Amino acid sequence: MTVLKILQSTLALLLFAVVVAVVVQAQEVAPEDVIRVKTTLVTSPVLVLGRDGKFVPNLRREDFQIFENGVKQEIAYFAPVDHPFTVALLIDTSRSTVFNLRDIQYAALAFVEKMRPDDRASIVAFSDDVKVIAEPTSDRETLRRAIQSIRAGGASRVYDAIDFVLAEQLKIKGRTALVLFSDGVDNDSRNATLESTLTKVERTETLVYPVQFSTYDRLKAQTPSQTTLPTEGTGFNEQDYRRAGGYLLRLAEITNTGVYPASELSDLDRAIAGIVDELHNEYSIGYYPRTMGQPGEQRSVEVRINRPQLTVRSLTLYVVDKSGTVVRTANTQRPPVSSAVEAGDSLPVSRNDPVKPGTEGRWICEGPDVPINMAIVREGFIAHCPKSTRPNDETNAWLIRKPAREEKLCKGFFLWHGREIAGASVPEGYVVIGEIKSPACANSNNSDITTNAWEIRVPGPSETVCKGFPLPHGYVMIGERFTPNCPPRATDLNAWLIRAK
């Protein structure tokens, strides 16, 4: 062999070694020991609901399919509902919540009692300072003592507190959640802003559950009518509360949860039960996209379930930023976060507000996540909400509020996985006594459905109610009958006669 051939062979071997080294560096082992080119793992929390609206547990990896831009992906990560979670209970102790602190402590203690043995929680309080009262732990007695030690007073650093918890308490592997007990008003943050915290939430996998206390009522009651309110930004101006309501709504929207209004203890009980129920019924599914996305490119995600008559709630869109981080997003048509928060948001809902149809409450973008025990009383169009995907539907937003004793509840039709469904649920403690066609509500595209609203009310000692809805607590069914107010059923009898126990 000549010297030239020896050199050529040596160079070829060196080149091969370099190529192998590069390929090995660019690969990783997935959970199933499948070698793949490294891309960003896209994960999504997933909730599965039955036709009765209840969560469906005990599903397996093979029950799910996941698609990106319509292309089926291989599931690389799956965590069932029994995997433990770490949650930060973030408690507002500023001056505005001083009269709500006992209720907040009650709610936090109730949450601790409902934790599973392997779940962990940390307690963080904030006013003009952000303090860790208890590091993440499963020791319930430690958590109880920490919650009971909290005292109120000082300014409010909502943005700084959320930023701190995401960066220091929840930057860990596994399922994480943040439960925020606050009115949402900030007047003293020094390190973070409204915009920066929302951006950080978009770049995490943490679920955020705002429990909103309506401290604005007390502010109004304590301010004489002839007195000028403090200037905007002090935390005691009406616009500050409007901004806070929009901010909490946006936090929930990004993480696909919901805002839980808490104007009295019964609201808190329902809020805590609802949050714990979600966390204990949440699956987590992840995949490596088959192709790398370009920075700024939006991709759609669809999780499907291989069982009939089940509904899936999960991540639907994401964008990869310049650093390769997956950014959760609800809609690319939405303007910058700050302007979305400012536009059209209203004050926190309170049970004590006067009930005037179409004038009280707040607007939300239409979708599957109506806050618990709120009624859709009107439908309309708001510029910062995405356009409706339903044909012939010019509405894209719902006005929601605490229902009066008698209320007209829009059915809230929207398109879900290509199928039109009604998004409204009947608030707890109410019954459906009939259905009507209301000019305040959008119509169905199904010509067989001629009504668009339910008539609901708090039942008296005895009541005739439409079939197909849960009976309120404390009532029993004593007979069946026909009423023209209720939709037809398979039999001639379409209503129940109920009475209080």
Side-chain angles (χ1 to χ4, degrees):
M1 183 180 292
T2 65
V3 173
L4 178 61
K5 287 184 176 180
I6 293 173
L7 287 173
Q8 287 177 334
S9 299
T10 303
L11 286 173
L13 287 171
L14 287 172
L15 180 60
F16 176 76
V18 169
V19 170
V20 169
V22 169
V23 171
V24 169
Q25 268 194 332
Q27 293 178 332
E28 65 178 22
V29 178
E32 298 86 357
D33 294 331
V34 177
I35 302 297
R36 65 176 75 248
V37 176
K38 179 182 281 187
T39 56
T40 301
L41 179 69
V42 178
T43 61
S44 172
V46 177
L47 291 168
V48 181
L49 296 90
R51 294 189 67 183
D52 57 1
K54 295 181 179 179
F55 296 118
V56 180
N58 305 320
L59 296 174
R60 299 169 298 173
R61 179 196 296 250
E62 51 266 35
D63 292 319
F64 294 91
Q65 293 180 320
I66 193 162
F67 295 79
E68 182 179 278
N69 287 350
V71 178
K72 187 176 180 180
Q73 308 291 314
E74 178 186 347
I75 296 176
Y77 171 77
F78 177 78
V81 297
D82 56 358
H83 275 213
F85 61 79
T86 299
V87 60
L89 302 183
L90 184 54
I91 299 175
D92 187 344
T93 61
S94 62
R95 282 187 295 268
S96 64
T97 63
V98 64
F99 295 102
N100 298 98
L101 183 57
R102 182 172 295 180
D103 290 347
I104 293 174
Q105 289 173 309
Y106 165 85
L109 288 168
F111 186 95
V112 169
E113 293 303 319
K114 294 178 184 292
M115 288 171 52
R116 291 174 176 169
D118 292 336
D119 295 335
R120 300 190 306 157
S122 65
I123 311 299
V124 181
F126 69 93
S127 53
D128 47 17
D129 197 6
V130 182
K131 299 178 180 179
V132 178
I133 311 300
E135 296 286 354
T137 179
S138 299
D139 187 337
R140 296 190 181 190
E141 187 56 37
T142 298
L143 294 171
R144 292 189 197 101
R145 287 197 301 268
I147 293 167
Q148 291 166 345
S149 71
I150 294 172
R151 299 294 180 266
S156 179
R157 296 174 63 183
V158 177
Y159 309 145
D160 282 352
I162 291 176
D163 183 86
F164 170 81
V165 167
L166 292 176
E168 303 295 334
Q169 295 285 299
L170 297 178
K171 201 170 184 179
I172 56 177
K173 290 184 179 181
R175 299 195 300 155
T176 57
L178 188 161
V179 181
L180 172 65
F181 299 95
S182 176
D183 56 14
V185 176
D186 186 294
N187 62 5
D188 195 37
S189 281
R190 304 152 201 175
N191 306 315
T193 64
L194 178 151
E195 187 84 34
S196 71
T197 56
L198 292 174
T199 299
K200 181 166 284 190
V201 168
E202 286 179 333
R203 285 160 171 76
T204 71
E205 296 176 16
T206 297
L207 300 172
V208 180
Y209 294 90
V211 179
Q212 183 181 23
F213 288 82
S214 181
T215 59
Y216 182 71
D217 287 342
R218 188 168 283 107
L219 170 68
K220 288 193 298 183
Q222 293 179 343
T223 305
S225 57
Q226 68 274 15
T227 302
T228 302
L229 285 175
T231 58
E232 186 176 341
T234 59
F236 297 95
N237 181 277
E238 180 176 309
Q239 188 57 33
D240 294 332
Y241 280 86
R242 292 185 182 277
R243 183 181 298 105
Y247 175 64
L248 297 182
L249 186 64
R250 190 75 175 101
L251 283 172
E253 185 181 57
I254 291 170
T255 61
N256 202 22
T257 58
V259 177
Y260 290 78
S263 57
E264 55 186 44
L265 277 177
S266 60
D267 294 332
L268 275 173
D269 289 335
R270 286 189 288 267
I272 296 304
I275 293 169
V276 172
D277 199 22
E278 278 204 20
L279 289 172
H280 286 161
N281 285 280
E282 175 201 283
Y283 302 89
S284 186
I285 296 179
Y287 68 97
Y288 293 94
R290 293 183 181 274
T291 58
M292 292 287 289
Q294 298 299 316
E297 177 189 356
Q298 177 182 276
R299 295 192 171 186
S300 65
V301 180
E302 182 185 4
V303 178
R304 299 177 188 173
I305 185 76
N306 300 329
R307 297 193 183 187
Q309 300 182 336
L310 297 181
T311 300
V312 176
R313 206 173 84 195
S314 64
L315 174 76
T316 57
L317 295 172
Y318 79 89
V319 174
V320 176
D321 68 7
K322 293 180 180 180
S323 68
T325 302
V326 171
V327 178
R328 296 183 286 195
T329 181
N331 189 276
T332 52
Q333 298 175 358
R334 196 174 296 280
V337 176
S338 57
S339 60
V341 167
E342 299 293 342
D345 296 306
S346 55
L347 297 171
V349 177
S350 168
R351 189 177 297 276
N352 298 321
D353 287 339
V355 180
K356 299 177 181 178
T359 60
E360 297 292 334
R362 70 166 182 269
W363 287 96
I364 65 171
C365 299
E366 67 177 26
D369 299 318
V370 180
I372 189 169
N373 285 335
M374 302 291 276
I376 304 171
V377 296
R378 182 176 294 275
E379 298 186 66
F381 180 84
I382 289 183
H384 72 258
C385 290
K387 185 179 179 181
S388 173
T389 55
R390 289 199 311 132
N392 309 314
D393 183 13
E394 296 182 356
T395 68
N396 67 347
W398 294 331
L399 182 69
I400 62 173
R401 67 157 178 252
K402 288 285 184 181
R405 291 190 64 82
E406 295 188 5
E407 194 69 83
K408 291 179 175 61
L409 173 70
C410 296
K411 292 184 179 180
F413 298 110
F414 70 100
L415 215 59
W416 184 252
H417 298 308
R419 184 167 59 94
E420 183 183 75
I421 64 173
S425 59
V426 179
E428 185 179 353
Y430 286 75
V431 293
V432 175
I433 59 172
E435 59 176 357
I436 60 170
K437 187 174 179 62
S438 169
C441 306
N443 297 320
S444 170
N445 280 306
N446 185 343
S447 58
D448 294 332
I449 302 176
T450 57
T451 60
N452 60 3
W454 301 109
E455 289 187 300
I456 64 172
R457 71 177 172 216
V458 176
S462 64
E463 199 76 63
T464 298
V465 302
C466 298
K467 285 186 177 181
F469 300 92
L471 297 184
H473 182 70
Y475 283 79
V476 294
M477 180 182 67
I478 59 173
E480 297 180 271
R481 61 177 53 179
F482 172 79
T483 172
N485 298 327
C486 294
R489 306 287 291 182
T491 65
D492 292 336
L493 305 178
N494 63 352
W496 286 320
L497 181 63
I498 65 171
R499 82 172 173 213
K501 292 181 181 178

